[in-house]
Amino acid sequence: MSEQGARRGQEDDWWRQLYGEDGTGGAGDGPGAGGGGAAGDAPGSGVAPAAGAPTGAGPADAGPAEASDTLDERVASVLRTVGPPGWGYQPPPPPQPQPQPTPQPTPADAPDRAASAGDAPDRATPAGDAPDRATPAGDAPPEGTPPRPASERPAPPEEAPTGPVPPGEPPTRRAPPPPPPSEPIPLKATGPGTRQRDAAPSAPPPAVSYIGDRPPTYEAEPAALPAADPAALDELVPDTALEGAQYGSLTLRAASQRGDSARYRGEVRRDALLTARFGTGRNALILVAVATGRPAVEGAHRAARDACGWIGGAVGRGCTQLAEDIRADRRGDLKAGLQRLTDRSYGKLRARALERGAAPEQYTAALRCLLLPADPDCRTRVFFGVGAGGLFRLRDGAWTDLDPVATDHGAAAPDPAPDDPARTGPGLPSGPGAAEYPVRPEPFLFHAAFARPGDALLLCSAGLAEPLRQEPAFAAHLADRWSTPEPPGLVPFLATAQLRAKGHARDRTAVAVWEA
């Protein structure tokens, strides 16, 4: 008989031993029961039963030729085809004599291993030390069946517990553990302009919109727009004007805005602001002019704008002489010359009122100016003007009122000599009738001061000067915001300048100069 036939006979005998009590064979179909051959025909003896001999397994087990067409073989074939490796019935290999392994000395911490299944110890093995050799009881082959080759065993589970491997078997591969979760990678800007930024500065204190126990009567934001004339749209005035500059050791910030009452009623801003630079280099001269028209007067904003424009033109034409006088600290000449320029500007306002058919005492404005040399070696700051407003100095966190005392009471300026073009200038009145032309509504004011590093000089209209003089909390808040090592930007400066106080709802203009 061929070797294949002998192997088939062994398979049939193995299946009879496995399924002896499922109805396909008698109760005595186990090994050595007489229905399956003599005791020497047991698996592992190498002797096959004779062809046609009764086995007690029924017609389906008539011989080796029919054994390959059983239902179990078909199911096993399907499972081997469509299932993962290790599924279905695998025919046992030819029996091989198994030598008894020689006991090997084991480490003290290694678990005891039995030489065979029958020699397994009865003691419980900890779960962490149990070898991965457990097999369900229903699938265990009969005692004495040789183990399957490693290539025919089912695939190991995804994770195999740690522990020593029995001798003679390949080590079981363990699936690598999943990588630990990693921290998100921060996104970084790249490019030539990228640089490491310092830690974010602490958040600024919350903005304060008003001081006092109660909020002001009107809302803080603009409500109504002023009425516009289609034929004179160039006369429209914006709600807020903002300006800034830096020359030498000085930093300039300027803001002008409508008051709360004007915003509510839709009235035009009566404050005018002019910032201009005349000349270049060290001889440059900066002029800042602030004018406020009379309240409740038609065309008051035009009078304020005319006053700024005419004084600006006069200073621009004589900027070279004025810069030399400031640098040489010739205060007497400065005061006399600036007073004549101011008087002539007011004379033009009076003439313009007559042209418009308005009362000269109504078509006028309060005018306050600052002259700032751009020369970094010259720290003299010159103030001059007429009318209400304020001039303050912030030093070491405290305010000082520098508003000068009037030295005259509206007297007309003396008639300049006809041969003095530097003092008269083109377009200014001169001659015998000039004494009747310039008329100032209030005394002329003049003040020259030397600025120290760290000082802040504030020129403002009456709308800001009044709460600064009358409300201590208002003055303290402005001093706290503007006593910083670095001058504020335009937006922070505007936010501080528009601090409100109940009872002070007029237009306000603020010009601040910080000294480095």
Side-chain angles (χ1 to χ4, degrees):
M1 182 180 295
S2 64
E3 183 180 353
Q4 181 177 4
R7 186 163 54 250
R8 288 295 182 184
Q10 295 175 10
E11 293 177 18
D12 297 341
D13 192 270
W14 190 87
W15 280 98
R16 283 194 302 273
Q17 297 177 31
L18 183 62
Y19 300 101
E21 296 181 1
D22 60 356
T24 59
D29 286 346
D41 298 335
S45 63
V47 180
T55 59
D61 296 330
E66 293 81 8
S68 61
D69 197 24
T70 62
L71 179 61
D72 294 334
E73 178 63 20
R74 293 183 181 183
V75 172
S77 176
V78 172
L79 293 177
R80 286 194 302 270
T81 304
V82 301
W87 279 43
Y89 168 72
Q90 300 291 338
Q96 298 290 337
Q98 297 293 331
Q100 294 296 330
T102 304
Q104 299 291 334
T106 58
D109 57 346
D112 296 337
R113 291 192 296 270
S116 61
D119 299 331
D122 296 334
R123 61 182 178 85
T125 305
D129 298 333
D132 192 18
R133 304 295 298 165
T135 306
D139 296 340
E143 184 177 350
T145 303
R148 298 181 184 179
S151 59
E152 299 179 0
R153 294 176 189 150
E158 293 184 1
E159 288 192 19
T162 59
V165 181
E169 295 187 8
T172 303
R173 288 190 177 182
R174 165 181 289 189
S182 59
E183 296 294 332
I185 301 176
L187 300 180
K188 296 182 179 179
T190 58
T194 304
R195 63 180 179 90
Q196 186 70 23
R197 294 182 178 271
D198 297 334
S202 58
V208 179
S209 60
Y210 68 91
I211 56 101
D213 298 335
R214 293 180 299 165
T217 304
Y218 303 103
E219 295 294 334
E221 300 300 329
L225 290 172
D229 183 0
L233 294 180
D234 58 337
E235 294 187 0
L236 291 177
V237 180
D239 176 90
T240 303
L242 198 61
E243 188 61 275
Q246 183 174 0
Y247 285 93
S249 60
L250 65 87
T251 300
L252 173 68
R253 298 288 182 262
S256 180
Q257 61 180 359
R258 280 196 297 171
D260 291 347
S261 61
R263 286 174 167 178
Y264 177 79
R265 296 185 175 92
E267 298 174 354
V268 68
R269 174 164 54 92
R270 293 181 294 106
D271 276 10
L273 172 66
L274 171 68
T275 54
R277 175 182 60 86
F278 304 106
T280 59
R282 300 174 68 92
N283 296 323
L285 187 64
I286 300 168
L287 168 69
V288 183
V290 176
T292 303
R294 291 295 179 96
V297 173
E298 179 68 24
H301 65 286
R302 299 189 189 98
R305 194 161 53 177
D306 287 345
C308 288
W310 284 327
I311 195 64
V315 170
R317 287 186 291 269
C319 65
T320 302
Q321 184 64 44
L322 290 172
E324 291 178 359
D325 290 344
I326 294 174
R327 189 179 295 108
D329 199 19
R330 293 190 285 261
R331 302 192 180 190
D333 294 343
L334 282 171
K335 181 179 179 180
L338 292 174
Q339 183 175 352
R340 280 193 289 269
L341 295 180
T342 303
D343 287 345
R344 289 165 187 165
S345 296
Y346 274 97
K348 287 189 173 184
L349 278 176
R350 186 180 180 88
R352 179 61 61 86
L354 297 176
E355 293 175 3
R356 291 179 175 270
E361 64 274 10
Q362 297 296 323
Y363 194 84
T364 187
L367 177 65
R368 290 181 165 245
C369 306
L370 269 179
L371 288 177
L372 308 169
D375 187 354
D377 296 331
C378 181
R379 289 184 175 269
T380 301
R381 311 299 182 229
V382 177
F383 160 80
F384 68 98
V386 173
L391 178 67
F392 304 89
R393 181 182 63 203
L394 180 61
R395 177 180 291 175
D396 299 330
W399 290 106
T400 302
D401 194 341
L402 299 180
D403 215 38
V405 178
T407 57
D408 63 77
H409 299 279
D415 184 18
D419 57 351
D420 188 4
R423 295 300 183 186
T424 57
L428 297 180
S430 61
E436 302 176 1
Y437 199 80
V439 176
R440 283 184 277 107
E442 296 183 49
F444 176 77
L445 305 173
F446 175 86
H447 181 76
F450 181 81
R452 296 193 326 197
D455 287 354
L457 193 64
L458 176 64
L459 174 72
C460 57
S461 63
L464 186 65
E466 289 177 358
L468 194 61
R469 291 187 176 110
Q470 300 172 10
E471 304 289 344
F474 188 92
H477 183 81
L478 265 61
D480 179 68
R481 289 293 187 270
W482 290 344
S483 295
T484 55
E486 295 294 331
L490 290 178
V491 174
F493 175 78
L494 175 62
T496 303
Q498 64 186 3
L499 177 68
R500 302 188 302 148
K502 190 171 180 62
H504 303 278
R506 301 168 60 182
D507 296 350
R508 59 175 57 176
T509 302
V511 179
V513 181
W514 278 268
E515 302 290 341

